[in-house]
């Protein structure tokens, strides 16, 4: 837990350490403000932010003039520089939206026109020869190519934003669930289930799936979030080379998701998904038998060399939808400085393409804060996160040899599937936000994320945490309270 | 009375039949069929009268490069004594270094076996 | 720091039972410089955590535990002064037998006269099974639980269900029981057990642990730690039968649902993989389709008895040494081997006919009172072995004299 250096009094307090909340916090850390982030989970990015395809959308899908369209194109254009600063891998691999039937071809032209109206650069309609060049073996009559579509690791990016914000003085309060918001003369008094209290002049609701509830705590009853789950299968890296660009089917009317498709990740895996299903609970991250079976079938259809042993993991994300199931589809983001509750900035229904929009949302919110508080730029803002974008094994051999010369821990490979070194694990253990969960190590060092799912590295990680960091069996937990890995010693030492 | 057993002597896992009769409160094996080897036949004769097993477990090591040393009984023990033997194994501890074959416990729970170390543990 | 360079006659990748036997054998065959590379901190591989007895019955006529069995080979290794690199990971291998390895001492490029692949296998995980649920903790592969309990003094749970009746799962059912945990049952999707009959007897029956055949886990419950599993009977096509679901409360699920040869390095070197075994396609010298690269042990085919691994690895090690010393003349033609009726796979996949060899095979289903018959391309019988019992869990190993192959260019083994 990172305690507030300046006590519990803030100029701006952000509720929710997802990608949007962290982007806002980092943006605000450029100014002489006391900024805090309150998060109910024990790590940042544990909700929708970490559980998605990791695609940076181009912005062809959104109605011109909407916030989603504007923020998407703006956010996309900010990403390259931001990722360079944050040391996060990014790859503009482009996307083919493919028409499989005659009747889908007009959709491609409509999307192109819409994209161009939104300011999406470089859109091109391609015939099969052109498609084949970008993605060998692709089927379809025609495709819309959007070169600005990219991929990014969503949790790495979310964590990097938080770490850089923290580096610039933002206080993070993890494991603090906001249960009370009281309007005061100078702003707000925010209290948590864990009995912490914060006072702040400006309060920013970036609570994602819980944004409606947080708004209600502030007396705003205008919104309701309908959680909508998307399940994914993660495929072995072995298959990664099959995808050189993203391939999506042309969208069909009335469907809220983008259709099941294959997405490559920056680490070389392929994701199959997401499905699209309204559920009762915002935290129902279960994968289900019938959907996974469907994903597997679709995956085999799109990737004939896929075998069941290539499926290494499943996961699910939940979208914070504003429309109820009977209406479906998308509703534009709500990003508002409330007139009725002065000092309350409200973000509701930030679903896809929230990841792409996040830097643009942050600047938009910054401008809203500027209307409420005096903003003075800090001279010492450090936009560069310390660390490396690449994993050690991605570096040239000579460079790796040099690093091992500097620190022997670089030479010890802990994770055999992803070739993660002990040094990378140690850095993740010593993460600046002080996260102690094992999932925190997964998301930071990529251990346990490969094809053996920790079969080889979990025992080694346990040994290192025990020997070098004093962990006991009961200290190992996955990501939340009660998710303990072990029940004790076999033979009680001492 | 016929008894059907799976021989545990080797991976073959022979399905063996034993013709058994009770005499004076004790079981006696009259005939064994289905065993592929002599060892198996001997095992069946023992198994029917008093099943014996080798057990393996771990003993806590103090000051070693491993926290535990693997151990086993050096001869088979009665099946019904296993949990009593385990109680002693759980209580035992040994100081590194430990060598293979080192006796960790003699005659646990009144059995005639020794609990011996099956791996080397060096001082940490 | 510079990348170091080295040359060795035979490099063995993996210091488990296969790698140990291969290295010893290569040295005994006369290879001057043999190097064994192991990524763990000790030699012995999986044997270290296999503390139960039953190893070495054929080879040493004794029921040793895993560590004891390994130690015999480690002693040989030491007496032959074979070079060992511990805590060292092979990062890459190419078709020219160049390896890049990493350790605390830096990166090293090694040129090998011959390479023996002995990386073993990994366990199939929950991900590959697509088990529905919220991915709670408490779900372990049996081998990981075995490592934690036997080597690291860490208890994984108190109330366990075991999915899959593979040997490691059965062994762990007994181990957990002896440690005071409650094992609720072993569930096997197939209509027969996958583990050895002796393990069913002495790991389950001795402790009254029920084995449920044609039953599988269909859902995991709990979003933080596992709170239970739903099991269901399955039909002949292994599909769950609606209405047969049952909730079993437990905090731990151990998976013993199959092993996957760890051939990522082999693939990188261009070695052809047999989709049925998951291991390399090899000839009677256990050489893969890449000249000078040999394969043995569980990376070649998943074995059930370590004695067989040692035997196979000794053959691979000796042939690798001969190759490295230029004493092996590659065959001009090969006799192709094919799995016939009732046989899931045969190994090697092709033979030169120049030497006697051991044929490994697995049958497709349990059978009784059958004969394994080798026939040539004309249907002429070459070899016939009567078998009282055949079981997919028990690998068949048959010695074949080269004389019997005369005139054959294709051989098929079937169950008759």
């Amino acid at each position: 837990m990172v305690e507030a250096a300046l006590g519990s009094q803030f100029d701006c307090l952000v509720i929710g350490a997802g990608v949007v909340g962290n982007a806002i916090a980092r943006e605000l850390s450029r100014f002489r403000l006391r900024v805090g982030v309150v998060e109910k989970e024990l790590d940042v990015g544990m909700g929708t932010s970490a559980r998605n395809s990791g695609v940076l959308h181009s912005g062809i899908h959104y109605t011109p003039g909407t916030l989603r369209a504007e923020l998407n194109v703006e956010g996309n254009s900010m990403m390259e520089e931001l990722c360079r600063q944050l040391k996060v891998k990014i790859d503009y691999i482009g996307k083919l939206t493919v028409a499989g039937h005659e009747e889908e071809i007009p959709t491609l032209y409509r999307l192109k026109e819409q994209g161009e109206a939104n300011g999406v650069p470089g859109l091109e309609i391609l015939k099969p020869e052109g498609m084949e060049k970008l993605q060998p073996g692709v089927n379809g009559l025609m495709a819309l190519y959007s070169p600005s579509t990219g991929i990014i690791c969503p949790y790495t990016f979310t964590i990097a934003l938080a770490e850089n914000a923290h580096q610039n003085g933002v206080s993070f309060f993890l494991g603090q669930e906001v249960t009370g918001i009281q309007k005061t003369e100078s702003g707000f008094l925010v209290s948590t289930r864990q009995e912490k209290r914060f006072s702040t002049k400006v309060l920013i609701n970036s609570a994602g799936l819980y944004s409606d509830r947080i708004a209600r705590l502030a007396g705003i009853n205008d919104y309701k979030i309908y959680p909508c789950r998307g399940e994914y299968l993660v495929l072995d890296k072995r298959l990664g080379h099959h995808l050189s660009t993203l391939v999506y089917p042309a969208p069909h009317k009335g469907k809220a998701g983008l259709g099941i498709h294959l997405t490559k990740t920056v680490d070389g895996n392929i994701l199959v998904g997401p499905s699209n299903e309204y559920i009762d609970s915002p935290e129902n991250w279960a994968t289900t038998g019938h959907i996974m079976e469907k994903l597997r079938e679709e995956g085999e259809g799109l990737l004939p060399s896929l075998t069941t042993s290539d499926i290494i993991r499943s996961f699910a994300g939940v979208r914070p939808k504003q429309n109820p199931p009977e209406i479906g589809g998308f509703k534009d983001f709500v990003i508002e400085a409330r007139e009725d509750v002065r000092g309350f900035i409200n973000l509701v229904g930030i679903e896809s393409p929230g990841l792409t929009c996040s830097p643009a949302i942050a600047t938009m919110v910054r401008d809203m804060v500027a209307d409420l508080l005096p903003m003075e730029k800090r001279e010492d803002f450090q936009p560069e996160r310390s660390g490396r974008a690449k994993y050690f094994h991605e570096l040239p051999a000579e460079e790796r040899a040099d690093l091992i010369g500097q620190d022997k821990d670089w030479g010890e490979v802990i994770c055999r599937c992803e070739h993660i070194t002990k040094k990378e694990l140690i850095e993740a253990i010593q993460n600046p936000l002080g996260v102690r969960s094992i999932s925190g190590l997964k998301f930071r060092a990529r251990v346990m994320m490969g094809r053996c799912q920790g079969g080889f590295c979990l025992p080694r990680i346990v040994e290192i945490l025990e020997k070098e960091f004093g962990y006991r069996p009961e200290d190992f937990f996955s990501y939340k309270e009660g998710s303990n890995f072990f029940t004790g010693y076999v033979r009680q030492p001492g | 009375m016929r008894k059907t057993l799976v021989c545990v002597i080797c991976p073959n896992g022979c399905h063996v039949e034993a013709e058994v009769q009770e005499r004076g409160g004790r079981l006696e094996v009259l005939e064994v069929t289905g065993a592929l080897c002599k060892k198996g036949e001997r095992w069946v004769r023992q198994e029917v009268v008093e099943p014996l097993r080798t057990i393996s477990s771990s003993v806590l090591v103090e000051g070693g490069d491993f926290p535990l040393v693997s151990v086993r009984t050096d001869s088979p023990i009665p099946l019904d004594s296993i949990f009593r033997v385990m109680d002693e194994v759980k209580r035992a501890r040994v100081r590194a270094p430990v060598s293979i074959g080192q006796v960790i416990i003699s005659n646990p729970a009144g059995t005639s076996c020794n609990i011996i170390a099956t791996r080397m543990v060096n001082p940490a | 720091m510079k990348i170091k360079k080295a040359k060795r006659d035979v490099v063995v990748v993996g210091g488990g039972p296969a790698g140990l036997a291969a290295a010893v054998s290569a040295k005994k065959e006369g290879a001057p410089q043999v190097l064994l590379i192991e990524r763990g901190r000790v030699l012995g591989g999986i044997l270290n955590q296999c503390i139960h007895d039953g190893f070495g019955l054929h080879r040493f006529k004794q029921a040793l535990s895993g560590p004891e069995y390994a130690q015999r080979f480690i002693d040989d290794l030491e007496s032959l002064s074979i070079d060992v690199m511990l805590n060292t990971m092979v990062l890459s291998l190419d078709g020219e037998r160049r390896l890049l390895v990493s350790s605390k001492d830096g990166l090293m490029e090694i040129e090998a006269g011959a390479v023996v692949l002995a990386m073993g296998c990994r366990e199939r995980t929950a991900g590959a099974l697509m088990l529905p649920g919220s991915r709670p903790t408490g779900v372990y592969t049996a081998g990981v639980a075995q490592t934690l309990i036997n080597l690291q003094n860490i208890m994984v749970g108190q109330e366990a269900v075991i999915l899959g009746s593979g040997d490691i799962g059965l062994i762990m059912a007994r181990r957990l029981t002896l440690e005071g945990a409650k094992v609720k049952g072993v569930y096997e999707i197939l209509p027969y057990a996958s583990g050895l009959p002796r393990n069913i007897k002495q790991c389950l029956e001795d402790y009254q642990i029920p084995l449920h055949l044609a039953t599988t886990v269909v859902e995991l419950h709990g979003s933080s730690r596992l709170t239970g599993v739903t099991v269901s009977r399955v039909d002949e096509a292994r599909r769950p039968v609606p209405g047969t679901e049952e909730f079993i409360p437990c905090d731990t699920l151990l998976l013993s649902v199959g092993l996957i040869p760890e051939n990522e390095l082999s693939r990188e070197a261009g070695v052809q993989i047999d989709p049925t075994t998951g291991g390399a396609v090899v000839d009677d010298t256990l050489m893969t389709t890449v000249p000078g690269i040999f394969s043995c042990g569980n990376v070649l085919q998943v074995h059930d008895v370590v004695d067989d691994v040692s035997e196979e690895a000794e053959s691979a090690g000796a042939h690798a040494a001969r190759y490295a010393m230029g004493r092996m003349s590659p065959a001009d033609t090969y006799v192709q081997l094919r799995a016939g009726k009732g046989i899931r796979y045969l190994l090697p996949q092709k033979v030169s006919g120049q030497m006697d060899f051991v044929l490994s095979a697995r049958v497709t289903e349990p059978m009784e009172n059958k004969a394994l018959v080798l026939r040539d391309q004309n249907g002429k019988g070459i070899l016939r072995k009567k078998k009282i019992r055949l079981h997919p869990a028990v690998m068949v190993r048959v010695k074949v004299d080269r004389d019997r192959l005369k005139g054959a260019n294709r051989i098929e083994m079937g169950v008759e």
Side-chain angles (χ1 to χ4, degrees):
Chain A
M1 202 82 44
V2 182
E3 292 298 332
L6 303 162
S8 291
Q9 294 198 346
F10 293 98
D11 297 308
C12 291
L13 190 69
V14 180
I15 302 175
V19 67
V20 173
N22 293 346
I24 293 169
R26 177 189 185 260
E27 185 58 31
L28 294 175
S29 72
R30 295 173 186 274
F31 302 92
R32 297 195 176 283
L33 296 170
R34 292 167 299 174
V35 181
V37 179
V38 192
E39 166 58 50
K40 78 176 172 63
E41 299 297 329
L42 297 168
D43 196 353
V44 302
M46 296 303 287
T48 308
S49 303
R51 302 159 172 274
N52 57 70
S53 310
V55 173
L56 299 179
H57 293 283
S58 64
I60 57 172
H61 286 287
Y62 318 116
T63 313
T66 59
L67 272 180
R68 292 205 318 158
E70 282 172 21
L71 294 170
N72 184 306
V73 176
E74 191 190 338
N76 182 304
S77 71
M78 296 166 78
M79 276 292 181
E80 192 164 18
E81 171 63 8
L82 183 55
C83 286
R84 191 195 57 73
Q85 292 176 337
L86 295 177
K87 314 284 196 303
V88 171
K89 280 189 279 183
I90 180 168
D91 190 357
Y92 286 99
I93 64 171
K95 181 175 101 172
L96 292 171
T97 304
V98 178
H101 302 280
E102 281 295 335
E103 61 266 31
E104 289 169 353
I105 291 174
T107 308
L108 300 185
Y109 283 95
R110 187 183 59 74
L111 288 174
K112 180 166 185 278
E113 210 170 290
Q114 178 168 280
E116 281 164 352
N118 289 337
V120 179
L123 294 175
E124 238 182 298
I125 298 279
L126 298 179
K127 296 209 166 86
E129 311 86 73
M131 293 156 58
E132 179 73 24
K133 265 187 215 154
L134 289 166
Q135 176 60 58
V138 64
N139 287 318
L141 300 174
M142 219 179 250
L144 172 61
Y145 178 56
S146 51
S148 65
T149 305
I151 52 174
I152 189 175
C153 174
Y155 41 85
T156 306
F157 181 65
T158 304
I159 291 167
L161 284 166
E163 289 186 356
N164 186 229
H166 178 255
Q167 215 176 317
N168 285 299
V170 174
S171 306
F172 280 80
F173 301 90
L174 303 176
Q176 294 293 328
E177 183 184 350
V178 172
T179 47
I181 296 172
Q182 200 186 321
K183 187 84 184 82
T184 61
E185 198 119 314
S186 59
F188 302 89
L189 195 61
V190 175
S191 52
T192 67
R193 187 179 301 285
Q194 293 74 15
E195 299 187 337
K196 255 197 175 8
R197 288 157 83 83
F198 307 90
S199 70
T200 183
K201 293 175 186 156
V202 173
L203 185 58
I204 299 164
N205 171 17
S206 175
L209 289 158
Y210 293 89
S211 54
D212 55 343
R213 301 184 196 189
I214 294 296
R216 273 200 295 280
L217 290 179
I220 300 160
N221 296 311
D222 308 352
Y223 304 105
K224 179 161 172 51
I225 292 294
Y226 299 89
C228 180
R229 183 172 60 195
E231 298 180 32
Y232 292 86
L233 298 179
V234 185
L235 306 186
D236 195 300
K237 272 180 154 174
R238 183 177 81 80
L239 300 162
H241 68 275
H242 287 287
L243 278 193
S244 44
T245 186
L246 301 179
V247 180
Y248 283 43
H252 298 279
K253 271 225 158 74
K255 272 203 175 172
L258 289 171
I260 290 168
H261 54 265
L262 303 179
T263 311
K264 193 173 178 167
T265 72
V266 277
D267 295 306
N269 298 100
I270 289 179
L271 304 178
V272 188
S275 55
N276 198 43
E277 182 193 7
Y278 282 89
I279 47 166
D280 316 333
S281 158
E283 282 183 34
N284 185 347
W285 288 314
T287 47
T288 60
H290 66 287
I291 300 266
M292 282 193 283
E293 198 48 43
K294 209 163 123 192
L295 293 177
R296 190 180 62 77
E297 279 169 23
E298 297 256 355
E300 281 172 354
L302 295 163
L303 208 62
S305 65
L306 169 66
T307 65
T308 45
S309 65
D310 291 321
I311 298 167
I312 62 173
R313 179 91 172 166
S314 62
F315 71 92
V318 180
R319 311 167 178 91
K321 292 237 165 240
Q322 292 184 77
N323 280 345
E326 57 276 17
I327 296 174
F330 292 104
K331 200 166 169 185
D332 202 13
F333 298 162
V334 173
I335 302 172
E336 56 181 11
R338 294 292 291 205
E339 294 292 328
D340 51 347
V341 189
R342 198 168 157 75
F344 192 80
I345 297 174
N346 201 26
L347 292 88
V348 181
I350 315 289
E351 52 160 312
S352 180
L355 174 66
T356 319
C357 293
S358 57
I361 294 175
T363 56
M364 185 178 170
V365 170
R366 173 202 66 200
D367 292 344
M368 291 175 168
V369 174
D371 290 339
L372 298 162
L373 294 174
M375 306 267 276
E376 193 191 327
K377 277 211 165 181
R378 280 175 51 181
E379 301 301 314
D380 59 348
F381 174 72
Q382 177 50 262
E384 306 262 338
R385 181 175 75 116
S386 44
R388 289 160 310 277
K390 286 186 170 168
Y391 289 104
F392 182 71
H393 72 89
E394 297 170 314
L395 302 174
E398 293 72 24
E399 206 175 314
R400 282 185 275 165
D402 281 343
L403 282 168
I404 300 173
Q406 290 164 28
D407 189 334
K408 287 182 183 306
D409 285 347
W410 287 117
E412 193 176 334
V413 177
I414 292 291
C415 156
R416 69 179 168 200
C417 304
E418 300 290 311
H419 289 188
I420 302 300
T421 64
K422 183 175 176 189
K423 178 72 178 173
E424 288 166 298
L425 174 70
I426 299 272
E427 285 182 350
I429 295 170
Q430 296 170 330
N431 70 84
L433 298 176
V435 173
R436 284 177 66 93
S437 61
I438 297 296
S439 74
L441 300 181
K442 286 175 67 172
F443 290 150
R444 284 165 178 78
R446 211 177 150 64
V447 289
M448 301 174 70
M449 299 282 259
R451 54 177 70 91
C452 87
Q453 288 287 295
F456 181 70
C457 66
L458 175 67
R460 299 182 152 215
I461 294 167
V462 168
E463 191 174 2
I464 289 167
L465 283 169
E466 275 195 306
K467 282 195 179 156
E468 298 178 29
F469 294 88
Y471 276 49
R472 299 159 52 84
E474 57 272 27
D475 295 332
F476 295 87
F477 67 98
S478 168
Y479 71 101
K480 65 176 175 184
E481 217 173 294
S483 64
N484 58 306
F485 275 90
F486 312 124
T487 54
Y489 290 108
V490 178
R491 302 274 176 271
Q492 191 65 38
Chain B
M1 163 171 65
R2 284 190 91 71
K3 284 202 161 196
T4 311
L5 299 118
V6 176
C7 177
V8 304
I9 289 293
C10 82
N12 279 341
C14 290
H15 293 250
V16 192
E17 292 205 340
E19 188 63 43
V20 182
Q21 96 177 6
E22 204 181 310
R23 187 177 290 174
R26 276 183 67 92
L27 288 175
E28 193 174 302
V29 179
L30 301 176
E31 194 197 5
V32 174
T33 50
L36 286 176
C37 72
K38 280 273 168 235
K39 260 188 173 174
E41 191 179 323
R42 277 201 300 276
W43 178 80
V44 171
R45 291 182 182 277
Q46 177 67 47
E47 181 73 6
V48 171
V49 179
E50 185 187 35
L52 297 177
R53 296 288 183 272
T54 298
I55 62 158
S56 303
S57 185
S58 305
V59 166
L60 188 75
V61 178
E62 289 169 345
D65 63 347
F66 281 86
L68 299 175
V69 60
S70 52
V71 297
R72 64 175 169 90
T73 54
D74 63 355
S75 59
I77 58 168
L79 182 58
D80 61 14
S81 70
I82 285 177
F83 282 95
R84 280 180 284 125
V85 171
M86 275 304 296
D87 283 341
E88 292 200 26
V89 169
K90 286 177 188 178
R91 281 199 303 270
R93 50 188 61 205
V94 58
R95 196 142 189 99
V98 184
S99 54
I100 290 189
Q102 183 177 328
V103 176
I104 309 288
I105 310 170
S106 298
N107 310 112
T111 61
S112 58
C113 78
N114 291 314
I115 300 289
I116 57 166
T118 60
R119 76 161 302 125
M120 222 158 55
V121 181
N122 295 315
Chain C
M1 188 153 73
K2 275 214 160 6
I3 300 172
K4 296 184 202 101
K5 309 223 183 243
K7 271 190 181 178
R8 293 288 184 276
D9 299 299
V10 176
V11 173
V12 179
V13 185
L20 287 169
V24 167
S25 162
K27 186 78 181 187
K28 284 185 175 164
E29 190 67 24
Q33 287 187 303
V34 177
L35 170 65
L36 176 63
I37 302 176
E38 164 58 38
R39 60 190 170 199
R41 68 175 164 110
V42 290
L43 292 170
I46 201 75
L47 288 172
N48 285 297
Q49 68 194 61
C50 296
I51 65 170
H52 52 281
D53 75 309
F55 299 89
L57 285 164
H58 289 293
R59 192 180 186 94
F60 301 117
K61 310 292 173 217
Q62 262 180 290
L64 301 172
S65 68
E68 290 169 289
Y69 186 91
Q71 194 59 45
R72 303 219 170 182
F73 287 85
I74 296 169
D75 291 345
D76 284 353
L77 201 79
E78 281 169 1
S79 69
L80 292 166
S81 309
I82 293 170
D83 281 350
V84 176
M85 290 173 81
L86 293 175
N87 292 308
T88 304
M89 177 89 182
V90 177
L91 299 176
S92 65
L93 167 68
D94 69 14
E96 307 298 315
R97 303 182 301 283
R98 285 181 300 231
L99 302 98
L100 180 65
V101 308
S102 177
S103 73
K104 283 181 182 281
D105 299 327
L107 293 186
M108 189 190 265
E109 253 173 41
I110 305 168
E111 277 182 51
V115 173
V116 181
L117 303 172
M119 293 88 77
C121 53
R122 64 169 181 270
E123 297 177 281
R124 260 182 98 197
T125 66
L129 295 182
M130 296 199 300
L131 284 175
S134 297
R135 298 163 301 286
T137 53
V139 181
Y140 292 98
T141 56
V144 168
Q146 193 177 40
T147 309
L148 290 165
I149 294 174
N150 292 353
L151 294 177
Q152 294 187 233
N153 194 21
I154 286 185
M155 195 62 184
V156 296
Q158 294 303 327
E159 260 195 329
V161 161
I162 295 174
L163 175 59
S165 56
D167 287 308
I168 315 172
L170 303 177
I171 298 284
M172 287 310 292
R174 174 176 63 184
R175 179 77 172 125
L176 286 171
T177 306
L178 290 177
E179 287 310 328
K182 172 82 189 150
V183 178
K184 298 280 188 82
V186 175
Y187 295 84
E188 169 60 57
I189 194 167
L190 297 173
Y192 52 85
S194 309
L196 296 170
R198 65 195 299 248
N199 286 332
I200 304 286
K201 168 79 181 143
Q202 55 185 359
C203 296
L204 301 187
E205 290 172 15
D206 278 358
Y207 301 95
Q208 293 89 46
I209 298 168
L211 170 63
H212 304 270
L213 299 174
T215 310
T216 193
V217 171
V218 293
E219 192 173 355
L220 307 182
H221 299 272
S223 58
S224 42
R225 176 85 191 195
L226 188 72
T227 56
V229 298
T230 301
V231 297
S232 167
R233 303 269 308 165
V234 297
D235 62 18
E236 276 145 30
R238 303 190 203 171
R239 285 177 310 233
V241 178
T244 62
E245 296 88 356
E246 190 188 344
F247 177 76
I248 315 282
C250 59
D251 67 2
T252 305
L253 174 67
L254 296 192
L255 302 173
S256 180
V257 289
L259 300 169
I260 303 167
E262 186 104 309
N263 271 302
E264 280 66 32
L265 211 54
S266 328
R267 282 201 180 89
E268 207 183 312
V271 168
Q272 189 192 334
I273 302 296
D274 180 332
T276 315
T277 56
V281 170
V282 291
D283 64 18
D284 40 355
T285 66
L286 300 175
M287 187 161 83
T288 68
T289 52
V290 176
I293 298 184
F294 297 78
S295 178
C296 58
N298 279 358
V299 78
L300 176 60
Q301 56 173 339
V302 176
H303 291 257
D304 24 75
V305 181
V306 73
D307 305 58
D308 293 344
V309 169
S310 301
E311 185 184 82
E312 185 176 277
E314 280 168 339
S315 168
H319 287 299
R322 265 176 242 147
Y323 183 95
M325 294 184 292
R327 294 207 327 243
M328 189 196 236
S329 44
D332 307 326
T333 57
Y334 283 100
V335 180
Q336 302 294 324
L337 269 66
R338 239 201 260 168
K341 190 167 167 281
I343 301 288
R344 195 162 73 80
Y345 77 75
L346 281 187
L347 192 133
Q349 290 83 352
K350 58 182 182 181
V351 295
S352 64
Q354 293 169 359
M355 63 191 77
D356 303 344
F357 67 98
V358 176
L359 189 62
S360 306
R362 281 189 194 274
V363 294
T364 52
E365 62 197 322
M367 292 176 259
E368 282 187 16
N369 298 315
K370 299 277 180 186
L372 292 169
V373 184
L374 272 182
R375 293 186 185 280
D376 71 6
Q377 63 276 14
N378 303 316
K380 195 182 115 216
I382 290 176
L383 191 73
R384 189 181 182 89
K385 284 257 171 198
K386 279 181 83 175
K387 290 277 171 184
I388 297 170
R389 254 182 310 282
L390 287 165
H391 196 284
V394 182
M395 183 190 287
V396 179
R397 305 259 295 168
V398 184
K399 283 209 168 66
V400 184
D401 292 347
R402 65 183 147 175
D403 298 341
R404 292 183 181 267
L405 301 182
K406 286 206 175 101
N409 57 45
R410 203 185 71 224
I411 299 176
E412 192 171 288
M413 182 193 256
V415 183
E416 297 180 3

